[in-house]
Amino acid sequence: PGNFDDFTDEQWQSAFNLTLMSAVRLIRGVLPMMRNGGGGSVLTVTSMSVKEPINRLLLSNVFRSGVTSLVKSLSNELAPENIRVNNLMPGRIDTDRVKSLDNSIAEKSGM
């Protein structure tokens, strides 16, 4: 978590590799098999933050939006090859990470 001024170039690069490039590499890895097999489906998972960014999750907001744009672009590009590409955008899920983020935000705001 953090705001714009909190992140170094290395952190931006790490988030880019972790979030956006992992989707690129996954899709790149399965396309030859799908093409040889006559089609298939790709499903990526991002977050509802692509619709409404979540405060203090700047890196995630930015790169998950990139995954969404990648998926939309590929859905049009690959449809003629019978390859469906979709994105799952779950809402808030009560996980340890979410609890940790909530605690961090509460501490920073004095709540």
Side-chain angles (χ1 to χ4, degrees), residues 3-111:
N3 295 314
F4 185 78
D5 291 331
D6 297 332
F7 300 112
T8 64
D9 285 356
E10 291 78 20
Q11 289 169 310
W12 277 95
Q13 189 66 47
S14 177
F16 167 75
N17 279 315
L18 179 67
T19 307
L20 180 58
M21 288 308 296
S22 63
V24 168
R25 291 178 186 117
L26 171 78
I27 295 166
R28 189 185 294 142
V30 300
L31 280 182
M33 180 176 40
M34 289 183 178
R35 286 178 168 137
N36 288 336
S41 298
V42 174
L43 178 64
T44 63
V45 180
T46 62
S47 163
M48 287 303 294
S49 68
V50 302
K51 300 246 181 215
E52 183 64 37
I54 299 170
N55 289 339
R56 297 195 40 80
L57 292 184
L58 180 68
L59 297 177
S60 178
N61 294 336
V62 169
F63 294 114
R64 289 184 193 283
S65 294
V67 172
T68 300
S69 293
L70 170 68
V71 166
K72 180 58 180 170
S73 297
L74 289 178
S75 70
N76 293 324
E77 180 181 330
L78 298 174
E81 298 180 64
N82 198 32
I83 299 172
R84 186 177 63 236
V85 187
N86 291 295
N87 196 18
L88 178 64
M89 299 181 297
R92 187 175 173 87
I93 299 172
D94 188 21
T95 64
D96 288 342
R97 171 141 169 84
V98 168
K99 290 174 189 172
S100 173
L101 292 170
D102 287 345
N103 288 334
S104 174
I105 291 167
E107 285 176 20
K108 294 234 186 253
S109 63
M111 297 174 125

